[in-house]
Amino acid sequence: MSGADDDPPQTTYVIGVENIMHLPYYGICDTEYCGFGRDLLDAFAAAQGVEVLYRPLPIPRLHRALASGLIDAKFPANPDWAQSTKGNSPVLYSDPVVLFTDGFLTLPEHKGAPEKVGTMRGFTIDMSVLGNTSVKLFEANAEADLFNLLVRGRVDTIYTNINVMRAYLRREGIPVETVIFRRDLPFQNSQYFLSTTTKPLMIDAFNRWLEDAFDEIQALKKKHHISEMEVISSTPLR
């Protein structure tokens, strides 16, 4: 990966990452970036013979940093996120890295339509899909805070990555059945990408590596207990 032909090859890349706990996909563990995303990008950097520096930022600042070129790349990224912050900067996206499902979860006893919804701060959520413009939105900084909003009754529903919440419950020794995935409500199957506004050759190299390192990447998903089978087999309600 390098710039123009007369430029020296770039050996260090700054990748912006979200400063939240969103394991098993990514998180900040003892001040260091961790999870599947860290292992994935470290493996890519090792294969390319370059160094990656991770810059954790709040999600809104991360979008702006990408648009302004303050970071070389951003992970995760998705073309549907934070459209208003992209400005005139063309954003290039890699091939998909991993599939996931965002959806609504509730306590088993709650069967009605959501009235108070909790989600992670900075996440993109379109409340119009619920058909109720009076739904109140509450934001949390971590999955633990999001779960506590639910069990303490401050919200009746939470909207988040299904695998992330299940992973949190397992780590805490809480039965997964404590919350249920509301398949009767709209949910979103989506994908994580790597993105950039300034390093198209990096994206080209990453795409080639995704193909060449398929088995290695599948092993990383297995290591972090990331299963895409439910995502692949599920059918969104919208």
Side-chain angles (χ1 to χ4, degrees):
M1 296 181 291
S2 63
D5 292 341
D6 56 350
D7 290 337
Q10 185 168 341
T11 59
T12 302
Y13 291 85
V14 178
I15 298 183
V17 297
E18 298 175 0
N19 67 342
I20 62 172
M21 289 298 286
H22 209 57
L23 297 174
Y25 298 96
Y26 53 89
I28 306 299
C29 304
D30 297 326
T31 73
E32 294 290 330
Y33 187 54
C34 61
F36 168 76
R38 175 64 184 262
D39 286 352
L40 175 87
L41 295 170
D42 278 357
F44 168 63
Q48 299 297 311
V50 299
E51 180 184 10
V52 168
L53 302 179
Y54 299 100
R55 182 169 296 172
L57 292 170
I59 294 174
R61 286 181 57 193
L62 192 55
H63 291 304
R64 293 193 294 269
L66 179 70
S68 62
L70 293 177
I71 54 178
D72 293 317
K74 172 182 178 292
F75 185 84
N78 186 289
D80 295 332
W81 296 348
Q83 294 289 342
S84 62
T85 65
K86 294 177 181 178
N88 296 321
S89 302
V91 181
L92 302 176
Y93 293 91
S94 71
D95 293 336
V97 175
V98 63
L99 301 169
F100 66 92
T101 297
D102 285 341
F104 293 93
L105 299 102
T106 64
L107 300 177
E109 59 268 24
H110 184 81
K111 306 294 185 182
E115 297 179 355
K116 296 179 291 183
V117 175
T119 192
M120 295 293 290
R121 190 174 308 279
F123 274 31
T124 301
I125 175 172
D126 181 7
M127 287 298 186
S128 67
V129 300
L130 296 175
N132 181 359
T133 58
S134 64
V135 174
K136 294 182 179 180
L137 182 65
F138 295 76
E139 293 184 317
N141 293 318
E143 293 296 328
D145 300 330
L146 194 59
F147 178 72
N148 286 332
L149 285 175
L150 183 64
V151 297
R152 292 174 181 173
R154 292 195 59 195
V155 300
D156 51 51
T157 311
I158 56 177
Y159 183 85
T160 189
N161 182 300
I162 305 303
N163 272 340
V164 170
M165 181 52 66
R166 288 174 176 169
Y168 165 75
L169 295 176
R170 293 189 185 101
R171 288 198 308 274
E172 297 299 315
I174 302 170
V176 175
E177 299 77 16
T178 301
V179 297
I180 59 171
F181 176 21
R182 289 285 300 272
R183 290 180 176 273
D184 60 313
L185 296 175
F187 60 92
Q188 180 68 50
N189 286 339
S190 193
Q191 300 161 314
Y192 288 146
F193 303 78
L194 180 70
S195 68
T196 186
T197 58
T198 59
K199 305 296 179 184
L201 295 182
M202 181 185 189
I203 297 298
D204 290 343
F206 187 69
N207 286 341
R208 290 192 298 270
W209 179 77
L210 286 178
E211 183 175 354
D212 294 341
F214 177 83
D215 290 341
E216 181 179 0
I217 295 168
Q218 293 305 115
L220 290 178
K221 291 176 182 178
K222 184 176 181 180
K223 171 187 173 182
H224 290 279
H225 305 286
I226 293 174
S227 172
E228 296 173 304
M229 292 304 296
E230 180 178 345
V231 177
I232 295 170
S233 63
S234 61
T235 302
L237 300 183
R238 62 178 175 90

